[in-house]
Amino acid sequence: MLQRVTAVQALTEELRRQILNGDLPPGSKLPEVELAERFKVARPTVRTAVQHLVERGVLRRDTGRSAVVPELSRADMRDVYFAREAVELHVVGHLCAGERTPARLKPVRQAMDRMRDLPDDAPWSEVTEADLAFHAALVEAAGSARLGRLFHGLLEEARMCLVQLEAHYPCRADLIDEHDQLLDALEAGDAAVARERMRAHLDSAVTALTDD
């Protein structure tokens, strides 16, 4: 059964799509009046949609209280990955400890298969969604609802970082290979190798994003 989508939901998702696709680049201001006129909706609808995106880290309020697409600084991006590393290295160690069952990692393997099945010319936005779906499945496999909420709170800013990583992976196979090697270590229960590969994967992104 199809779900009804409210005007607020539709506007929220359209603005989010334009931001993450780069149609609204960092620094773009989004005045309520202009958005209301452009999308033919009431200003309270705009205000609510914008607030949702502010809460998710996709927009910020500037000093004049207008919404603006954030320009993530190098410090911001390092902090996003610092938080990701804290969560994901812990998850990797947890998944390799104690009793392991193939069913536990099945959703992660399915996410890996979906990433591998992307066509070579898939838009980078689809690649980044597949990347984050893999990492989200990994965190969910740990079975901690609270840890999952922490990770999902990072996802929107992680997406904004990943938008800038396309040039770092001119060969998409390299990205797939990094995830594949990590999953192989997890399935083998080798905590040391899995943690090393996760750290290398995240560190390479930080280096690409923050080096001149």
Side-chain angles (χ1 to χ4, degrees):
M1 180 177 178
L2 294 175
Q3 293 182 333
R4 297 183 65 183
V5 178
T6 68
V8 168
Q9 291 170 324
L11 180 58
T12 300
E13 288 309 308
E14 177 58 20
L15 290 175
R16 175 181 173 277
R17 184 192 67 77
Q18 292 189 18
I19 292 166
L20 295 178
N21 281 352
D23 296 333
L24 290 171
S28 299
K29 290 191 175 184
L30 305 178
E32 284 184 9
V33 173
E34 290 183 15
L35 289 177
E37 292 176 352
R38 177 183 171 192
F39 291 100
K40 308 296 189 233
V41 294
R43 287 186 66 180
T45 298
V46 172
R47 193 173 300 120
T48 303
V50 165
Q51 185 57 34
H52 286 332
L53 293 173
V54 169
E55 291 168 358
R56 291 160 68 175
V58 181
L59 287 174
R60 291 179 183 167
R61 297 282 188 185
D62 67 11
T63 53
R65 302 301 296 161
S66 292
V68 60
V69 179
E71 298 183 69
L72 294 182
S73 67
R74 288 181 174 84
D76 289 328
M77 291 186 281
R78 287 191 189 98
D79 196 40
V80 169
Y81 277 84
F82 176 72
R84 283 191 62 180
E85 187 171 288
V87 173
E88 296 188 67
L89 286 180
H90 179 68
V91 164
V92 163
H94 174 75
L95 290 174
C96 288
E99 183 179 354
R100 297 182 305 280
T101 64
R104 198 176 191 188
L105 289 173
K106 184 177 179 180
V108 186
R109 174 56 69 183
Q110 290 172 335
M112 184 70 248
D113 291 341
R114 288 192 292 272
M115 183 187 298
R116 189 182 291 104
D117 288 343
L118 287 174
D120 292 339
D121 59 350
W124 183 247
S125 59
E126 291 184 18
V127 177
T128 60
E129 285 303 311
D131 176 297
L132 289 176
F134 173 92
H135 288 272
L138 200 61
V139 173
E140 288 168 10
S144 169
R146 289 166 180 81
L147 198 61
R149 286 198 295 270
L150 283 174
F151 184 74
H152 281 278
L154 297 168
L155 282 182
E156 294 293 30
E157 287 187 303
R159 283 185 175 91
M160 297 178 76
C161 292
L162 287 172
V163 166
Q164 302 180 48
L165 271 180
E166 183 172 8
H168 185 59
Y169 289 104
C171 179
R172 305 287 170 84
D174 293 340
L175 182 63
I176 291 170
D177 188 54
E178 288 179 20
H179 289 82
D180 225 359
Q181 289 187 33
L182 170 60
L183 183 53
D184 286 346
L186 285 168
E187 290 177 334
D190 193 329
V193 172
R195 286 173 63 86
E196 177 187 344
R197 288 175 179 171
M198 175 64 83
R199 182 179 283 111
H201 176 58
L202 296 177
D203 284 352
S204 69
V206 173
T207 299
L209 287 166
T210 59
D211 277 6
D212 290 327

